[in-house]
Amino acid sequence: QVEGSEKNESSIQIDHDLIRQFSRRIRNDENMHHLVKNAEKRWNAAYVQSYFQQKAKYLWDDIQPDRSRKYALEKMPTHMIQAEMFDDVEMLMRNESFIRGRFWSLGWTEGTRAHVVDAEAFCHRLQSYSLANDIEDCSSPKLVDACKQLEAVLMEEVARESGGPNGHCSTLEAGRCLHEISVSLARLKLWDEASRFCDSCVELVESNLGPSELVASLLYNSSVMHTEANEFDQAEKIIGDCLDMRVKTCGTESILYVRALCQLGDILSVSSDYSAAESCFNKSIGILKVMPAHYHLDFGI
């Protein structure tokens, strides 16, 4: 019961420290050790089943979620993954109401970060399960689908005329969220999708800030991702835009400009345009020679 109120509120939440201590006690007791076989999977499944039995009628994106709903918005995918409820977690990660509820409960960036962390954990767990059971690994498409659904709900919030419980999502905040997604996909070497999300991020941030060092840094990241995806023409174009912007934001005698110039040299080298690549590297060396010596080690001179 809430203090000063006659309203009663039921809450379903895991006390992790209590469970951990109880499990350790059972594990160390020889007469009870058999009880903890597959215990982690079982008690995570028990939480998920108990929650949905009692809370299924409530919306994930309720404007005023109770404590157990807030906990579930943050931790439910983790419990499902630990319980190996793969079909359920896949559906949840693509559930618009759940994604919106996360945004409203955790905030735009933190909600996105929680979702991509869960998507990565789901991907890794599914890969391990597929390997152990000698079945086809289909984790990457599921991860990409979860990220696409996250993007779709995010852009709906940007377009929403009236903001949700935590206000309106600006294009700058949306760009930050898409950056989280692109970095997550890059960690898993899904370069095609990572570069697409990064390009969308650049577009949103530049529309908000105009030419800036933040946009130049994002352009650099995008060029790297396109290079990894073997899209060399696009990578060369983007790093060219980055160099043009860095001339305005930090000048040609800066380490950031040199790094972008070396990235262009790498792209030209991979594309077998060795003369142009050599020109980029020589220009970089010339700039570095008039810069503080501690930068030299980064470039091997």
Side-chain angles (χ1 to χ4, degrees):
Q1 182 174 343
V2 180
E3 186 177 352
S5 171
E6 296 182 356
K7 179 182 177 182
N8 291 322
E9 180 181 296
S10 63
S11 178
I12 304 169
Q13 184 168 329
I14 299 295
D15 188 324
H16 292 280
D17 291 333
L18 178 62
I19 291 292
R20 189 180 298 112
Q21 293 296 330
F22 179 65
S23 299
R24 186 178 292 117
R25 176 74 176 271
I26 295 176
R27 184 191 62 193
N28 294 332
D29 189 325
E30 292 184 1
N31 295 324
M32 302 177 69
H33 184 72
H34 67 283
L35 296 175
V36 297
K37 184 178 180 181
N38 296 323
E40 182 180 46
K41 178 179 177 180
R42 286 156 50 196
W43 76 258
N44 276 286
Y47 165 74
V48 174
Q49 292 162 4
S50 176
Y51 181 87
F52 280 104
Q53 284 173 2
Q54 298 188 44
K55 299 286 183 175
K57 65 180 181 179
Y58 297 99
L59 297 174
W60 284 113
D61 52 355
D62 191 292
I63 294 179
Q64 294 182 319
D66 61 17
R67 287 176 298 170
S68 60
R69 178 55 53 95
K70 289 180 179 178
Y71 175 84
L73 283 166
E74 183 179 359
K75 297 292 187 182
M76 183 61 77
T78 300
H79 289 296
M80 287 180 169
I81 292 166
Q82 295 297 328
E84 295 185 353
M85 302 172 69
F86 298 134
D87 290 341
D88 295 283
V89 72
E90 181 183 359
M91 289 178 59
L92 186 67
M93 296 293 288
R94 294 166 58 184
N95 184 300
E96 292 185 23
S97 177
F98 179 76
I99 295 171
R100 187 174 297 105
R102 271 192 152 177
F103 282 144
W104 290 357
S105 178
L106 302 176
W108 309 115
T109 304
E110 290 303 318
T112 299
R113 187 172 296 132
H115 212 70
V116 297
V117 166
D118 287 336
E120 284 186 47
F122 176 44
C123 182
H124 290 312
R125 189 63 173 259
L126 204 53
Q127 287 172 343
S128 299
Y129 182 85
S130 299
L131 183 63
N133 293 275
D134 194 25
I135 58 177
E136 182 182 358
D137 176 23
C138 56
S139 58
S140 295
K142 295 180 186 295
L143 172 66
V144 171
D145 286 345
C147 290
K148 287 180 177 178
Q149 187 63 41
L150 180 62
E151 178 191 27
V153 177
L154 177 68
M155 298 316 296
E156 285 179 7
E157 292 300 306
V158 173
R160 184 191 293 270
E161 294 183 1
S162 58
N166 54 349
H168 181 261
C169 181
S170 68
T171 53
L172 182 60
E173 289 171 314
R176 188 181 297 119
C177 294
L178 293 185
H179 180 257
E180 291 283 342
I181 299 172
S182 71
V183 170
S184 173
L185 292 167
R187 279 196 293 266
L188 295 170
K189 302 188 184 304
L190 298 171
W191 300 112
D192 289 334
E193 292 297 338
S195 59
R196 186 188 73 76
F197 277 102
C198 192
D199 290 344
S200 297
C201 166
V202 171
E203 184 178 343
L204 287 171
V205 174
E206 189 170 13
S207 71
N208 191 282
L209 297 180
S212 64
E213 182 46 44
L214 176 57
V215 175
S217 297
L218 292 171
L219 285 168
Y220 181 91
N221 290 348
S222 177
S223 176
V224 171
M225 292 178 186
H226 280 287
T227 302
E228 293 290 347
N230 297 322
E231 297 171 347
F232 302 117
D233 290 342
Q234 184 68 4
E236 182 180 345
K237 176 184 179 302
I238 292 171
I239 200 63
D241 293 340
C242 174
L243 283 165
D244 291 343
M245 194 169 293
R246 280 186 168 162
V247 169
K248 301 174 183 177
T249 59
C250 58
T252 58
E253 296 184 358
S254 72
I255 193 63
L256 294 174
Y257 183 83
V258 169
R259 285 178 177 148
L261 198 57
C262 287
Q263 168 65 8
L264 177 58
D266 287 338
I267 295 168
L268 292 169
S269 178
V270 172
S271 302
S272 300
D273 191 348
Y274 300 117
S275 177
E278 183 180 16
S279 176
C280 288
F281 294 135
N282 287 337
K283 185 176 180 180
S284 299
I285 292 170
I287 297 171
L288 283 168
K289 284 180 177 178
V290 299
M291 296 181 69
H294 65 270
Y295 287 124
H296 295 182
L297 290 176
D298 292 343
F299 296 88
I301 66 171

